[in-house]
């Protein structure tokens, strides 16, 4: 007899966007983009379905 049981599966979709920013170092460039992303200034870094880059499926609970 086959007994089925429930499984919780996590579906993770990933969005990616490459942006170019002028800065004096990589560290400052990352900080600037992070600040602008958090502030959502002028909707410059809003990611959409066009930025889709992949999906992952993972069992998180049996």
């Amino acid at each position: 007899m086959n007994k089925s049981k429930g499984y919780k599966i996590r579906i993770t979709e990933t969005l990616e966007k490459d942006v170019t920013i002028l800065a004096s170092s990589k560290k400052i460039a990352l900080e600037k983009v992070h600040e602008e992303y958090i502030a959502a200034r002028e909707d410059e870094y809003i990611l959409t379905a066009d930025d889709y880059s992949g999906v992952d499926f993972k069992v998180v609970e049996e």
Side-chain angles (χ1 to χ4, degrees), residues 25-41:
S25 71
K26 290 179 189 178
K27 182 177 188 258
I28 291 173
L30 283 170
E31 289 172 357
K32 287 172 98 174
V33 171
H34 183 261
E35 288 171 8
E36 290 178 5
Y37 179 81
I38 297 301
R41 292 186 189 146

Side-chain angles (χ1 to χ4, degrees), residues 3-33:
K3 292 187 178 183
S4 295
K5 67 186 230 181
Y7 294 90
K8 183 186 261 186
I9 308 296
R10 177 171 298 139
I11 303 169
T12 304
E13 292 185 333
T14 303
L15 304 178
E16 294 181 324
K17 180 177 279 208
D18 293 331
V19 298
T20 301
I21 191 159
L22 297 175
S24 58
S25 71
K26 290 179 189 178
K27 182 177 188 258
I28 291 173
L30 283 170
E31 289 172 357
K32 287 172 98 174
V33 171

Side-chain angles (χ1 to χ4, degrees), residues 38-50:
I38 297 301
R41 292 186 189 146
E42 302 170 23
D43 299 328
E44 190 169 345
Y45 301 132
I46 302 299
L47 279 70
T48 67
D50 292 336

